[in-house]
Amino acid sequence: MNLVLLLSTFSLFIGVLSEEGLNPAIVNVGAIFSFNTINGKVAKVAMKAAEDDINSDPSVLGGRKLSIQLHDSNFSSFLGILGALQFMETDTVAIIGPQSSEMAHVLSNLANELQVPLLSFTALDPSLSPLQYPFFVQTAPNDEFQMTAIAEMVSYFSWSEVIAIFSDDDQSRNGIITLGDKLADRRCRISYKAALPPEPSAKRGDVLRELNKIQMMESRIIVLHSFSRTGLLVFEVAKGLGMMGKGYVWIASTSLSTVLDSFYPLKPEIANSIQGALTLRPHTPDSKRKRDFMSRWNQLSNGSIGFNPYGLYAYDTVWMIARAVRLLLDQGGKISFSNDTRLGGISGSTLNLSALNAFDGGKQLLSKILETNMTGLTGHVQFNQDRSRINPSYDIINAVGNGQRLVGYWSNHTGLSIVPPETLYSEKPNRSSSNQHLDKVVWPGGETARPRGWVFPNNGRELRIGIPRRVSYRDFVLLVNGTDKVQGYCIDVFLAAIKLLPYAFPYRFIPFGDGHKNPSYYELVNKIKSGVFDGVVGDIAIVTNRTRIVDFTLPYIESGLVVVAPVKKISSSAWSFARPFTPLMWAVTAAFFLIVGSVVWILEHRRNDEFRGPPKQQFVTILWFSFSTMFFSHRENTVSSLGRLVLIIWLFVVLIINSSYTASLTSFLTVQQLSSPIKGIDTLIGSNERIGFQVGSFTEGYLMEELNIPKSRLVPLGSPEEYALALERRNVAAVIDERPYVDLFLSEHCEFSVRGQEFTKSGWGFAFPRDSPLAIDMSTAILSLSENGELQKIHDRWLSKSACSSENSEDDIEQLDLKSFWGLFVICGIACMLALLVYFWLMFRKFSLLPPEELDTTSPSTSRSTRLQTFLSFVDEKVEKPKSSSKRKRESMSRIGYHINDESPHRSGRMDRNMSQNGDSWLTQ
């Protein structure tokens, strides 16, 4: 009995010990930071406050206590690894940290093996993928969102190039790579990347060397991505080099905002070195809990460090772990650890690896952490499917005076705005450019106007501007023999434009070409891509294959390909009145006059005395009525409804034809006409004639590639004289060239003319390298020249030559042909046919209703010809107008004895009886 009691007591004791091992009274959490940094100090205070708040409320962990063990890595990955290993030996359920991403890459592998969740709010490298590191969780928005915000700021201010300065560590390096991708999405780019030694090993000499290089570069938009110590050193050296003055733009990542927040008010030397810089700060919505926490910060920190938002993320991270542990235990989970047999089996090792314990409930705890859905000091805490925080957002801060100024916000929901992001989450996302707003920024140097963002490189080198060495049409670009002087229309436009630029424009012209023939303009433009020229000025057409390799300014003159051919003047003749219409048009019009006249005669013949009479008289009536409608002077009245309908439609057709004839004849008689078998580009495409083009222009390629004209038909010509000679000798049927050249050519050669219309539309512009801001500024200058009239004055000075008389620039006025009016004729023809069909249907119907005795047939076997003759006689018979009611009354009174004069005309007895029985349809009245 005593033995049984002893065994029962021992079993109960073992069960209690086992239960305490599975549900310990203390939950251990580790934290790895460099506690002599700003974020390390802030995190230490905030985590301690969270620990105290959790332990003061027994309901959070069900009476258990939370114990956060701190380990100082002191910027050393080795010390960080040692700290993590120590935590793994002491049954730690989760580790907060590390502070840097390079350490996170290492410790995440250890966390994966031992299944201990690793949570960090400062190691925000975008490359820390949850697929590769499933036990690593970023509890603050990672740097992908920060780089997106910076890229959208660059795009918002219309800059195209930035210079990136960064610490050469995993987090900063991968952040800049992400920035490059985000800028590329917005047609911007990083022109130079300046890598500095990792924190804290960067020295003044390292920074000075890179900033000296940057000073010599074009871009003045500088993005700084590093930790606070290196960042402040960069600003200090930049201030000494004059790089914090007018024209520069500095955009720093969140490290600068931690300085502004934690060290307010700033020391004068720090404040002076960052004046005008922009920086980002993680946005946390305002709340009472947040305000209460901030109000007791000084008490919590004992004044050792100022508050910044990463303290809120540290606080919330501790609470996330505590809530996840409570959920794990409430749902039957256990906190237990076991040795990894793989580690214990390593032979010859002096390390005590067998002491490392794997967390048996690590996967379940990780799952509970990722399912977090709470409201913390940082706002709503929840994770997306990609394990990033929902609703990432930033404050955009401007360093001004001895502190900071809020100029706006960025959120992943709506982009840039001047209202807090949480007020916009209920609305639909709107990332349109018109919806992006920021308040006014005070830039370095105290400027409030948006900096241009670039300058000419400060390396003493003038811009190399290529110009074509033309041998013809030198009104556009002319190199004065024996001098370096360059003049011409294109040169004057360029010089006028650079005078409007708000900065100096050092340049020198470099001719391109051998001087014996016009150079290839594609090769000239390609020299920009190869780096030989910094720009090209001249008569450069803006065409597709060139826009693929360079950027053009707005066109300063319109251009397009036209056809030039020999012409001869057409003299007026006695038959000029017939020229507006083609012969077919005349024939069809005359035929319709006769057709309509005949149809109206048929419809009116039975009832209208004006359309009756001897055959000769009726034929004359048809002719007279038909052609008199041309002048709306017909005297005959129409009484039938069908006749009136046909006549109305025909008069409308006549009105259109008369108006068109008058307008066309006026043009023929008032404009001197030029004749040529070449009517335009379509005539040349459909023929086998040879075509001339200017040497060096894009015309040859366009004709072959776009219009499929064989090269064998194309003849290169080098000058206006060659144009004229080739056209006069019929070596070519026509010349195709750009309009500005053709206008100059025709001003001296009146025997040629432009045939047809321009069949391409383009213009001439100045070419610069891709994404060069010069193209934008020069376009603005050209637009100003156009608005103030200076561009037209330059044009008049160079290109307004004494031209030939106006007929040389007029195309043949085309004769009006049938295709312009066939719709009207079809409508009129259909109306005539329908009217005749209805008319004869009514006649057949009335004829069939006549009694046999009314027909002039004596036998049922009457021949068809006799019956047809009878029908025609029926149709030809005169039908009297219906009597009025007064006449019918008088006749009725006469039949009963009253004497009334019969005023009605004589009618045949047969037709009178017929009409009295059936009456006339309204269609024949």
Side-chain angles (χ1 to χ4, degrees):
M1 184 68 179
N2 292 334
L3 179 61
V4 173
L5 181 61
L6 179 62
L7 290 174
S8 300
T9 303
F10 180 75
S11 299
L12 180 62
F13 177 73
I14 295 297
V16 171
L17 290 178
S18 177
E19 185 68 22
E20 288 180 354
L22 295 176
N23 295 289
I26 297 177
V27 177
N28 293 318
V29 174
I32 302 175
F33 282 88
S34 296
F35 290 115
N36 60 340
T37 63
I38 296 175
N39 286 341
K41 294 176 181 179
V42 169
K44 182 177 181 179
V45 174
M47 289 187 294
K48 178 62 177 174
E51 179 185 11
D52 293 342
D53 291 345
I54 291 171
N55 290 334
S56 64
D57 185 356
S59 65
V60 177
L61 286 174
R64 301 169 185 84
K65 296 295 184 180
L66 178 70
S67 176
I68 300 179
Q69 304 297 320
L70 304 178
H71 178 81
D72 190 354
S73 62
N74 196 24
F75 290 105
S76 171
S77 297
F78 177 70
L79 293 179
I81 294 172
L82 291 181
L85 292 174
Q86 291 176 0
F87 291 146
M88 301 303 180
E89 294 178 357
T90 57
D91 296 344
T92 300
V93 298
I95 297 175
I96 302 174
Q99 188 169 344
S100 64
S101 293
E102 62 268 22
M103 195 182 301
H105 282 278
V106 177
L107 298 187
S108 292
N109 290 299
L110 182 61
N112 289 347
E113 292 297 326
L114 300 180
Q115 298 189 3
V116 176
L118 195 64
L119 292 79
S120 179
F121 49 86
T122 55
L124 303 176
D125 182 356
S127 68
L128 285 165
S129 166
L131 297 176
Q132 184 179 4
Y133 306 114
F135 279 85
F136 180 76
V137 180
Q138 293 172 326
T139 60
N142 71 38
D143 281 350
E144 178 182 358
F145 301 108
Q146 182 176 197
M147 295 303 129
T148 302
I150 293 176
E152 291 196 5
M153 290 167 62
V154 171
S155 177
Y156 172 78
F157 288 111
S158 302
W159 298 315
S160 59
E161 290 187 3
V162 304
I163 293 173
I165 303 176
F166 61 98
S167 297
D168 197 11
D169 55 57
D170 287 349
Q171 180 160 332
S172 299
R173 187 188 315 111
N174 292 328
I176 293 300
I177 292 173
T178 303
L179 175 62
D181 295 338
K182 300 302 180 181
L183 287 171
D185 292 341
R186 294 157 179 81
R187 293 201 64 188
C188 307
R189 68 186 185 98
I190 299 175
S191 59
Y192 179 72
K193 297 179 181 179
L196 301 175
E199 182 108 351
S201 56
K203 306 299 181 185
R204 177 178 292 271
D206 302 323
V207 175
L208 184 61
R209 182 169 53 254
E210 290 297 333
L211 291 184
N212 280 330
K213 293 179 184 178
I214 293 172
Q215 263 192 319
M216 307 296 289
M217 296 177 184
E218 183 178 274
S219 178
R220 286 294 181 262
I221 312 300
I222 303 173
V223 175
L224 176 61
H225 188 38
S226 68
F227 290 103
S228 57
R229 183 179 300 177
T230 300
L232 291 177
L233 178 60
V234 170
F235 279 114
E236 180 184 343
V237 176
K239 177 68 174 178
L241 294 175
M243 297 176 67
M244 294 303 297
K246 181 180 178 181
Y248 283 91
V249 173
W250 288 81
I251 303 175
S253 57
T254 53
S255 61
L256 180 59
S257 69
T258 62
V259 175
L260 294 172
D261 290 332
S262 296
F263 293 124
Y264 180 82
L266 298 175
K267 295 180 180 179
E269 58 271 21
I270 296 178
N272 290 335
S273 66
I274 63 174
Q275 287 297 302
L278 291 176
T279 184
L280 299 176
R281 175 175 62 201
H283 175 73
T284 54
D286 186 35
S287 66
K288 184 179 185 304
R289 288 186 61 200
K290 175 183 172 181
R291 291 193 299 270
D292 291 343
F293 182 78
M294 293 173 62
S295 66
R296 61 190 181 107
W297 180 261
N298 286 334
Q299 179 183 353
L300 295 172
S301 64
N302 293 321
S304 61
I305 188 69
F307 172 81
N308 73 52
Y310 287 102
L312 303 178
Y313 284 101
Y315 186 91
D316 281 354
T317 300
V318 176
W319 273 89
M320 274 192 274
I321 296 173
R323 286 174 176 266
V325 169
R326 177 61 187 270
L327 286 174
L328 173 67
L329 297 175
D330 288 348
Q331 295 176 8
K334 304 297 182 181
I335 298 178
S336 62
F337 297 83
S338 59
N339 293 330
D340 192 329
T341 56
R342 295 174 300 172
L343 298 177
I346 299 177
S347 60
S349 175
T350 60
L351 298 175
N352 188 21
L353 297 179
S354 60
L356 299 179
N357 296 323
F359 182 19
D360 297 330
K363 289 185 178 180
Q364 292 85 348
L365 181 61
L366 175 65
S367 176
K368 302 305 177 187
I369 290 173
L370 295 177
E371 292 173 2
T372 298
N373 188 356
M374 71 176 193
T375 300
L377 300 185
T378 58
H380 187 62
V381 181
Q382 192 175 355
F383 293 94
N384 292 313
Q385 291 184 349
D386 62 357
R387 293 171 53 165
S388 63
R389 281 283 297 265
I390 65 169
N391 299 330
S393 56
Y394 294 89
D395 299 335
I396 301 174
I397 306 298
N398 187 197
V400 179
N402 200 33
Q404 57 184 274
R405 175 173 165 266
L406 181 67
V407 297
Y409 306 89
W410 178 89
S411 72
N412 200 39
H413 185 72
T414 55
L416 301 173
S417 67
I418 55 177
V419 296
E422 57 271 17
T423 63
L424 302 174
Y425 291 146
S426 60
E427 302 177 4
K428 292 183 178 180
N430 185 352
R431 303 300 291 271
S432 64
S433 58
S434 61
N435 198 50
Q436 306 300 295
H437 302 287
L438 289 177
D439 281 337
K440 186 172 292 186
V441 177
V442 179
W443 304 101
E447 295 289 321
T448 56
R450 180 190 70 87
R452 186 173 64 251
W454 68 278
V455 295
F456 289 105
N458 188 21
N459 52 18
R461 183 176 68 85
E462 296 176 324
L463 291 182
R464 299 159 299 177
I465 303 299
I467 58 172
R469 191 190 297 270
R470 295 196 58 89
V471 297
S472 63
Y473 294 116
R474 291 195 283 183
D475 300 80
F476 298 105
V477 179
L478 172 63
L479 277 74
V480 180
N481 293 332
T483 67
D484 294 332
K485 185 178 180 181
V486 183
Q487 59 186 26
Y489 168 70
C490 302
I491 302 300
D492 280 6
V493 172
F494 174 75
L495 296 178
I498 64 175
K499 290 179 181 178
L500 298 180
L501 298 179
Y503 46 82
F505 190 105
Y507 68 93
R508 61 188 177 94
F509 289 127
I510 302 177
F512 176 78
D514 56 14
H516 301 293
K517 63 178 181 180
N518 293 333
S520 167
Y521 278 53
Y522 182 80
E523 293 180 7
L524 173 59
V525 170
N526 200 50
K527 292 295 183 181
I528 297 177
K529 182 181 179 182
S530 61
V532 175
F533 295 140
D534 299 309
V536 169
V537 170
D539 45 338
I540 315 297
I542 304 172
V543 293
T544 303
N545 63 345
R546 297 173 186 172
T547 58
R548 295 191 181 104
I549 58 177
V550 297
D551 280 351
F552 282 94
T553 63
L554 288 175
Y556 56 86
I557 186 174
E558 292 184 356
S559 179
L561 294 179
V562 293
V563 177
V564 179
V567 293
K568 63 179 180 178
K569 186 181 298 185
I570 300 176
S571 301
S572 298
S573 67
W575 299 98
S576 293
F577 71 89
R579 292 181 59 196
F581 288 166
T582 61
L584 179 61
M585 179 64 183
W586 279 117
V588 172
T589 304
F592 261 84
F593 271 109
L594 296 176
I595 290 171
V596 172
S598 301
V599 170
V600 173
W601 178 84
I602 292 173
L603 298 175
E604 295 290 322
H605 178 66
R606 298 190 73 215
R607 298 190 52 78
N608 196 335
D609 288 337
E610 294 179 344
F611 288 88
R612 299 189 65 83
K616 182 178 180 180
Q617 178 182 344
Q618 294 181 52
F619 179 72
V620 172
T621 299
I622 291 174
L623 292 179
W624 167 255
F625 178 82
S626 299
F627 289 100
S628 64
T629 57
M630 182 187 302
F631 310 103
F632 305 96
S633 60
H634 50 286
R635 295 175 301 175
E636 295 79 7
N637 293 320
T638 52
V639 297
S640 69
S641 299
L642 289 174
R644 290 173 178 174
L645 176 64
V646 170
L647 185 60
I648 289 174
I649 295 175
W650 174 241
L651 290 177
F652 175 73
V653 174
V654 170
L655 174 65
I656 300 300
I657 293 175
N658 272 344
S659 301
S660 302
Y661 175 85
T662 303
S664 182
L665 181 63
T666 301
S667 300
F668 273 105
L669 296 180
T670 57
V671 178
Q672 199 66 262
Q673 296 302 301
L674 302 174
S675 176
S676 171
I678 306 297
K679 302 299 181 183
I681 186 63
D682 293 333
T683 306
L684 293 175
I685 294 174
S687 70
N688 292 319
E689 299 285 353
R690 304 181 76 191
I691 303 170
F693 68 92
Q694 184 181 168
V695 174
S697 73
F698 73 96
T699 308
E700 179 184 16
Y702 179 85
L703 295 178
M704 290 192 300
E705 297 171 8
E706 301 296 331
L707 302 184
N708 299 316
I709 296 176
K711 187 174 182 179
S712 58
R713 290 179 55 194
L714 303 179
V715 179
L717 303 172
S719 66
E721 292 74 21
E722 292 185 23
Y723 286 14
L725 193 61
L727 290 170
E728 289 172 354
R729 294 181 177 179
R730 299 296 189 265
N731 293 335
V732 295
V735 171
I736 294 179
D737 206 349
E738 296 180 73
R739 189 79 199 213
Y741 301 126
V742 169
D743 289 342
L744 282 181
F745 173 72
L746 295 180
S747 67
E748 299 177 356
H749 298 84
C750 301
E751 65 274 22
F752 309 110
S753 176
V754 173
R755 313 305 297 161
Q757 303 296 320
E758 290 184 11
F759 55 93
T760 66
K761 291 290 184 181
S762 62
W764 291 355
F766 305 134
F768 295 97
R770 292 298 299 269
D771 300 321
S772 171
L774 259 178
I776 299 175
D777 288 354
M778 288 293 286
S779 294
T780 304
I782 290 171
L783 190 60
S784 298
L785 290 176
S786 176
E787 292 175 348
N788 62 25
E790 185 63 25
L791 197 60
Q792 184 62 44
K793 293 178 183 178
I794 298 173
H795 180 278
D796 295 342
R797 185 163 61 246
W798 284 98
L799 304 182
S800 293
K801 305 293 183 180
S802 56
C804 302
S805 56
S806 61
E807 67 268 13
N808 286 322
S809 61
E810 295 292 340
D811 295 330
D812 285 342
I813 299 175
E814 298 290 339
Q815 289 181 303
L816 300 173
D817 54 16
L818 184 60
K819 67 180 181 181
S820 301
F821 301 94
W822 70 269
L824 290 173
F825 287 125
V826 167
I827 293 173
C828 185
I830 291 174
C832 291
M833 291 178 60
L834 291 176
L836 289 176
L837 288 174
V838 172
Y839 176 78
F840 281 111
W841 177 78
L842 291 173
M843 290 299 100
F844 275 117
R845 180 173 176 273
K846 292 177 181 179
F847 182 74
S848 63
L849 294 177
L850 291 176
E853 60 270 15
E854 296 294 333
L855 301 176
D856 293 334
T857 57
T858 59
S859 171
S861 59
T862 303
S863 65
R864 289 184 178 180
S865 60
T866 304
R867 189 172 178 84
L868 177 61
Q869 184 177 2
T870 303
F871 173 74
L872 294 177
S873 299
F874 170 75
V875 172
D876 186 57
E877 287 179 352
K878 177 72 170 66
V879 178
E880 298 297 338
K881 295 180 181 179
K883 294 180 180 180
S884 64
S885 58
S886 60
K887 289 183 178 180
R888 287 197 299 269
K889 182 177 181 180
R890 287 195 298 268
E891 289 182 356
S892 176
M893 294 174 64
S894 175
R895 286 195 296 270
I896 62 174
Y898 292 93
H899 177 70
I900 299 176
N901 292 328
D902 187 359
E903 299 176 356
S904 63
H906 173 71
R907 294 178 297 176
S908 66
R910 184 173 54 202
M911 290 304 301
D912 184 48
R913 288 190 300 271
N914 179 49
M915 295 307 297
S916 64
Q917 292 175 6
N918 300 292
D920 252 15
S921 170
W922 69 272
L923 290 172
T924 60
Q925 292 179 358

